Amino acid sequence: MNKTILILALATAVAAGSACSGGGNGSKVGSDAAIEKRIDRILSGMTLTEKIGQMNQVSVGGSDEMMADAIRNGSVGSILNEVDPLKINEMQRIAVEESRLGIPLIVGRDVIHGFKTVFPIPLGIAATFDPGLAEEGARIAALEATACGVRWTFSPMLDIARDPRWGRIAEGSGEDPYLNSRMAVAMVRGYQGHTLDNTSMAACMKHFAGYGAAEGGRDYNSTNIPERLLRNIYLPAFKAAVDAGVMTVMTSFNDNDGIPSTGNSHILKDILRDEWGFDGFVVTDWNSMGEMISHGFAADRKEAAMVAANEGVDMDMMTFGFISHLEELVKEGKVKESVIDNAVRNILRVKILLGLFEQPYVDADAAEAACYTTAALEAARKTAEESVILLKNDGVLPLTGVRKVLVTGPLADAPHDQLGTWAFDGEKGRTVTPLAALRESGLDVVYVPGLAFSRDKSIDFSAVKAAARGVDAILAFVGEEAILSGEAHSLSDINLIGSQSELLKALRETGKPVVATVMAGRPLTVERDLGNVDALLYAFHPGTMGGPALARIILGEAEPGGRTPVTFLRTVGQVPMYYNHNMTGRPYNGETLLEGIGLEAGQTSLGNTSYYLDSGAQPLFPFGYGLTYTTFEYGNVVLDKDVYDADGVIEVSYDITNTGERKGTAVVQVYVRDLVGSIARPVKELKHFERVHLAAGEKKTMTARIPVSELAFWGRDMTFNVEPGEFTMWVGGNSASGIPVGFRVR
Ligand code: GLC
C-alpha cells in the first residue's frame, strides 16, 4: 500500500473513533470497542521494526538531524524535554507527514508542580490538605504545558516518604497513604481533565513502586518492603490513581528485596494489570532498564531489554534497549511478538485517547498567552498560602503596628531557590520573592541578607545587627537552596545548613521580635532554632508566588493554611519516625530521659520501652500539625451507631468552634485505630480530612461519612478485608490530638 493511501486509510480509521472519556468495556483509561478496533487496524499495518519504534522514548539534546531521521524512519514513539512549540510542531510534522505510518509522537516533560507558573513543591501542595486546590493547580499546569505541545507529564509522584534525608521527599505527598491517595486522584484529574480533549495531559504515576523507602534515605538505594507492607502503605495511592484513570506508569529505580521494579512482573503484571485492570502504558524511568545491569540483574543491555519487555514494560526511556535488541530477541524467540503487540496497543491507546491523531499540532502563537495568566498566578498564590505551616507563634504574628522591618536571610530574595526542585520551565524572573512582596506592602523595608546562600558559613553578622537597631521587627528567610532538594540530593544532616542557625541566634541577641520563615524541600530539624525565634513559618519551596503569599500571611491579610504532611523530627537520629506506626509490645510510657539520669544510676534499668534516652519517642511536630491565627475547639463527637457492618458507612458528627478573635480555617482530621487484628495495626490511620472555615466565635456541627470499607487492610492471610472487632476513632486537629470515640464492626 503506498504511503498516501496508507495515511488516508489511517485517517479514516482514526476518524471513526473519538477521544472518548467514558470507560467503555471496563477500561480504566477510558477506551472502548471503537478505539480497540482502531488500534487493531493500525497494528495490522505495522512492521515489527515500526512496532518497536513506538516503544522507544528519546530525550532531545542530541543532533536535531539525527532525531529527525529517527522520527522519519519510525524509530521514535515519544520524545521528552522539548518545550518549544515550534520545535514540537516540526517533530510532529515529520512523524505525521514524513514517516510511513504517520503515527504522532507523544511529548513528555516533568511538569511536577506547575509548568511556567510554578506552584509549591508537591510536599507543599500536600500540606494544604486541599485536593480541590491540587486539582486546580494540575489543571493550570496542563493548560500551560499542552499549549506548548507537551501532552504527557511524569507526575504525580506517589512515593510514600518516611525519611527526610531522602531529597525526593519534596516531590511526593508525604507519609500518609490516605493523603497521598486523595492528592493522587486530584492530580490525575487535573492533568488529564474530567473529559479528554486537547488540553488533556496524560498523567504518569511514579515511581512504581516503593522508591521512597530507599534504605538510609539514600536515593536509588535498595528497598526491603515486604508484600503486606507494600500493599498496606506504599501501593494505595497508586491504586487510587489507576481507579482515577491515570494513563501511564513509570517504573522505579530501586530493587525491592533484590528485584528491580523495571524487571518485576509481580508489580507490573500481577498487581498493576491483573488485579487493578490498568490499561495504559508503562514507561521505564531514565535508563532504569540499563541500570538492571548495574543492579546485577541483567548481564548486558540485550538481556535487560528482554527482561523489561517480558516483565511488563511498554516503553524504554533512554536505554535504547528496545530499539537496539528487541527485533533480534523476537527472532531468537526470547520475546514473543505478541508481547510487542501488547505494548504497542497500550501506547497507541493513550495516543488515540489524547486525540493526537486528530490534533498533533499546537498553535505556537497562542502558547505564550496561555502561561502566567492572572488566574494561574492567583491560584499559585492561594496554594502557597494554604501550604505555609505556622509552627510557632509567641503572639508576634500577624505583624501589626509595625512600620520598619529588617528583611534578612539567604532565601529572602532567592527567585530560583524559591521555586524548589523540578521546576525546569518556571522563569525565575517571574518569581516574586518575599523581599519584593514586602517592599510592595508599604512597610519600610531594610534588606541585609546576612548570608549569600543557604550553605554560606560566614559568621560576620555585624551589618545585620547594625541594621536591626533601627527596626520594629526582623523577618528572616532561611532554609535550603533548591539544589539541595530533589533527586540524588540526600542529606545525612538535616539541620539548617551553613551558619543559618548562627544567624538566627545573632538576630535573637538584637532583642527585636524575630519572625523566621523556612523554605525547604523537606522537614528540617529545627528544634535548636525554635528558641531563637518568636514565630516560625514553614514553606516547602512555595513557587512563583511564594513571596506575596508569605507577605500576606505575615501581615495578616491571609492565614497560614498548612498542616504537616510529614512528621517533623527532633533530630535526624530519630529516622524513621512517622505517625502511623505500630504500637509495639513496649510503647514508650514516659521513662527517664538522659538529663534525668543521676550519676549514681549505675546499672539500674531506666525503663524497658521503645524510646531514645536523648530524644524520647515523640517528634518535634506530629503529622497533620499546624497553628493558625485563631484557635479551635472540638466537641460533641457522636457516632450514628455503636456497631457497623463491613459494608456500612460510619457517620460521625462533631462540633467545631472558632474560639479566637479572627476568622480561620481548621483542617479537621479523623483517625481510626483497629484495636486488634490478624496483624498488629497502626496506632492511628487518617481516614478523613476537610478544611472548615469559621468566623471568630462561630460554631458548626459537621458530619463526616466514612465507608467501613476504608478500614480494610491486607491481613495475615494476605487477603484484603475489614476485620470485625473494636475500633477507636479520633476527631481533631492533628495526629497527636483528638477526641476518641469507640465503635465495633461485626
Ligand atoms: C528522572 C526521575 C524521574 C523523571 C525522569 C525524566 O531520573 O527519576 O522522576 O520523570 O528521570 O526526567
Side-chain angles (χ1 to χ4, degrees), residues 258-307:
I259 301 174
S261 300
T262 308
N264 186 345
S265 60
H266 177 55
I267 58 174
L268 297 180
K269 289 185 179 178
D270 302 343
I271 295 177
L272 185 62
R273 302 283 184 187
D274 300 348
E275 282 184 41
W276 295 355
F278 173 69
D279 58 339
F281 72 80
V282 174
V283 65
T284 71
D285 199 340
W286 187 289
N287 187 38
S288 66
M289 179 194 297
E291 288 178 8
M292 289 197 283
I293 301 164
S294 166
H295 278 288
F297 195 74
D300 54 32
R301 190 173 64 171
K302 181 177 175 183
E303 185 182 1
M306 179 190 75
V307 165

Side-chain angles (χ1 to χ4, degrees), residues 80 110 154 168 206-207 250 253 285-286 317 422 487:
L80 73 153
D110 291 283
F154 307 122
R168 301 197 79 166
K206 71 185 187 182
H207 303 81
M250 181 184 289
F253 288 123
D285 199 340
W286 187 289
M317 181 194 287
W422 290 106
E487 182 171 353

Side-chain angles (χ1 to χ4, degrees), residues 43 55 71 240 244 431 447 454 487 497-498 521 559 683 688 702 728 738:
L43 205 59
M55 301 167 70
I71 294 170
T431 304
Y447 174 53
S454 68
E487 182 171 353
I497 200 163
E559 64 175 336
V683 294
H688 173 83
M702 308 287 291
T728 301

